[in-house]
Amino acid sequence: MEPVKTVAVTGASGYVGEAVCRALTKRGIAVRALSRRDPGIAGTRFVAYDLRHELEPGLLAGVDAVIHAAAETSRGAEPDIEAEIAALHRLADAAEAASARLIFVSSQTARSDAPTGYGRLKASAERIVLDRLGAVVRPGQVYGGPEKGLWGTLVSVAQRAPAIPRFMPEPRVQPIHVDDLADALVLLACEARPRPRVYAIADPRSVAFSRFIQLVAISRFGRRPIRVPVPLAPIIWALRGVEKLGVRPAFVRRLASLNDLPALDSVADMAELIPYHRRFPDGASRGTFCHRGLIREGVVLLRYATGREPDRWLLRSYARAVSSVGEAGPLELSGLTRLLPRGLTLFDQPAARRRNGEQDALSRRIDLALLLAESSAQHVDGFLMSSHTPTRLAQILQLGLALPLEAVGRLADAVAGPWLDRVRPRPIEGSDHPA
């Protein structure tokens, strides 16, 4: 089998298409970027492409594979199905003439009886691609990267909304980072001929939709919007009643689509294509090295370790150290703990450390904060008895105040240790439920 040299990507300037172009160029594969706008990515050759127009002759000449990620988004949840199907036929014909394999980016909502025209369109398109012996990829809830498309909308909600509706029953989503999805698409494009079937690309573990948005808010903006329980069925019934009056808000169909979202059985496909994918909410932050979550965590743990406000250098050192050793995301610290860091004494007890074992993130990070503080010029004097009499007296007073708090912590652990273990701060974890 000859290596793949050139791949065409439709919708190259879109959310998923842009990530696919980056993933291809990193592998040294030439990219023919087919879109209405130039994605501006080095290593790509832009070719103007519009779903509504006929293809130029020879558009796919010399192309080894086509990743079809383009979609008409101007009409929202109700696209022009006939026009998009005609565009797919034109693209599939051109790919067949060029002997290029076809990979189609579908949707988790793809069903012939889907509440939205978008879901029904994707179901029809899947059948056409499979009949043409192409491969279909159904991604889960795509997140991370540039704030585009639905991800951009969800980020905006996470940033601004004071509360998030927690629909009952609660819809669940299966996250997949946009770069992991791109890697899976590239692997399929590089196969000699992908099997003509549907590939499910999503975390096998699901997360409640309101929790998904809340975790985006925590990891990206350091805020924690409350989740307000809202019965879902009465809302849908009421909105459908409005539809019967001739008003057809797209929100109704989108809400019904979210409520009826089918689970993706993705275990085998993820193991085959991207076994080492990111676990949500990893990748949901802005991606800066010393991102805000670890900086905020460092403020609390270093104040606990030293009793003083840490400087910027020490906070950056803490964030770098946590990131460099491959730790999970920031600890989910309560508002009370952030206000009163000394409250961590309740969890930082010898018996609690033994119960939670060597893999306990809180214990490791407290030890890291102590180590960094002891080696910093700003705080090293706090760990040594000063020769300056007023300072030494202040240190003795501080130790005297700490002893009663330590005694309270040991007593609390002896009385309510198992309960404290349940509320113990742990790294933010979102995907807690099998699909």
Side-chain angles (χ1 to χ4, degrees):
M1 166 187 154
E2 293 187 4
V4 170
K5 296 179 180 179
T6 305
V7 173
V9 180
T10 70
S13 62
Y15 177 49
V16 173
E18 189 178 285
V20 172
C21 290
R22 289 195 302 266
L24 287 165
T25 56
K26 284 180 182 178
R27 289 163 173 77
I29 299 172
V31 177
R32 198 166 299 178
L34 309 182
S35 59
R36 285 181 289 182
R37 295 183 303 277
D38 187 348
I41 299 173
T44 65
R45 181 165 73 87
F46 170 62
V47 179
Y49 171 78
D50 194 310
L51 286 168
R52 298 164 294 185
H53 300 161
E54 295 291 331
L55 299 181
E56 295 181 7
L59 179 69
L60 301 182
V63 166
D64 300 302
V66 179
I67 298 175
H68 186 32
E72 180 60 60
T73 58
S74 61
R75 294 166 59 102
E78 299 303 322
D80 186 338
I81 295 178
E82 184 176 339
E84 292 226 23
I85 292 298
L88 176 58
H89 277 297
R90 290 193 293 267
L91 189 69
D93 288 341
E96 190 173 324
S99 299
R101 67 212 64 158
L102 178 62
I103 297 97
F104 174 63
V105 183
S106 185
S107 167
Q108 190 174 354
T109 63
R111 281 172 26 211
S112 58
D113 61 343
T116 63
Y118 180 79
R120 296 191 294 274
L121 164 64
K122 291 296 186 180
S124 299
E126 285 185 358
R127 291 192 292 270
I128 293 169
V129 172
L130 294 175
D131 288 343
R132 299 290 192 113
L133 302 183
V136 171
V137 170
R138 280 187 195 167
Q141 178 64 61
V142 188
Y143 74 97
E147 296 175 7
K148 288 182 159 187
L150 177 59
W151 167 241
T153 301
L154 295 177
V155 168
S156 180
V157 171
Q159 182 178 15
R160 296 180 175 86
I164 304 167
R166 181 180 182 179
F167 295 117
M168 302 169 60
E170 178 114 59
R172 304 189 70 86
V173 295
Q174 293 168 252
I176 183 70
H177 194 278
V178 66
D179 291 337
D180 289 332
L181 172 59
D183 287 342
L185 290 165
V186 170
L187 286 173
L188 288 173
C190 290
E191 286 190 12
R193 179 63 67 178
R195 295 190 298 278
R197 68 176 181 84
V198 175
Y199 294 82
I201 304 300
D203 195 318
R205 302 178 302 171
S206 67
V207 55
F209 184 64
S210 64
R211 178 63 169 160
F212 175 88
I213 298 178
Q214 186 185 59
L215 287 171
V216 171
I218 292 171
S219 60
R220 203 170 181 89
F221 305 110
R223 58 187 304 270
R224 190 187 184 93
I226 60 173
R227 300 157 70 197
V228 180
V230 177
L232 184 56
I235 294 177
I236 293 179
W237 291 338
L239 291 174
R240 282 177 177 166
V242 171
E243 279 192 312
K244 292 178 180 178
L245 298 176
V247 181
R248 298 183 60 82
F251 173 73
V252 179
R253 295 182 290 279
R254 286 176 175 158
L255 189 59
S257 179
L258 177 64
N259 185 46
D260 295 337
L261 198 64
L264 290 174
D265 183 6
S266 59
V267 175
D269 293 335
M270 294 294 284
E272 177 184 350
L273 295 174
I274 42 173
Y276 303 111
H277 64 281
R278 297 167 180 80
R279 301 288 189 180
F280 181 77
D282 291 350
S285 68
R286 293 187 185 277
T288 54
F289 188 65
C290 297
H291 63 77
R292 295 179 180 180
L294 287 178
I295 293 292
R296 284 188 294 271
E297 175 189 307
V299 170
V300 176
L301 266 64
L302 288 163
R303 282 178 60 197
Y304 169 69
T306 66
R308 289 187 285 176
E309 288 292 329
D311 62 15
R312 183 179 301 179
W313 179 88
L314 192 57
L315 288 173
R316 290 177 63 84
S317 297
Y318 177 86
R320 286 194 187 98
V322 174
S323 299
S324 65
V325 296
E327 285 276 4
L331 296 173
E332 193 166 4
L333 300 169
S334 68
L336 183 60
T337 303
R338 290 194 293 269
L339 182 64
L340 300 171
R342 280 296 177 189
L344 287 172
T345 300
L346 296 172
F347 306 102
D348 188 27
Q349 297 299 322
R353 285 179 172 244
R354 286 194 298 271
R355 286 194 306 272
N356 287 277
E358 296 180 358
Q359 299 305 312
D360 177 51
L362 176 62
S363 299
R364 287 199 307 272
R365 296 190 193 187
I366 288 175
D367 292 342
L368 175 62
L370 284 166
L371 180 64
L372 289 171
E374 288 176 356
S375 61
S376 74
Q378 179 193 11
H379 294 286
V380 66
D381 61 325
F383 297 90
L384 300 172
M385 188 60 70
S386 175
S387 59
H388 185 244
T389 301
T391 303
R392 186 165 62 250
L393 291 174
Q395 289 176 322
I396 294 172
L397 178 62
Q398 185 177 18
L399 179 61
L401 294 174
L403 288 175
L405 186 59
E406 179 68 18
V408 170
R410 299 214 174 195
L411 179 63
D413 185 80
V415 174
W419 180 83
L420 289 171
D421 288 343
R422 288 198 295 272
V423 298
R424 188 178 185 82
R426 289 181 172 83
I428 296 171
E429 182 64 53
S431 301
D432 57 0
H433 192 283

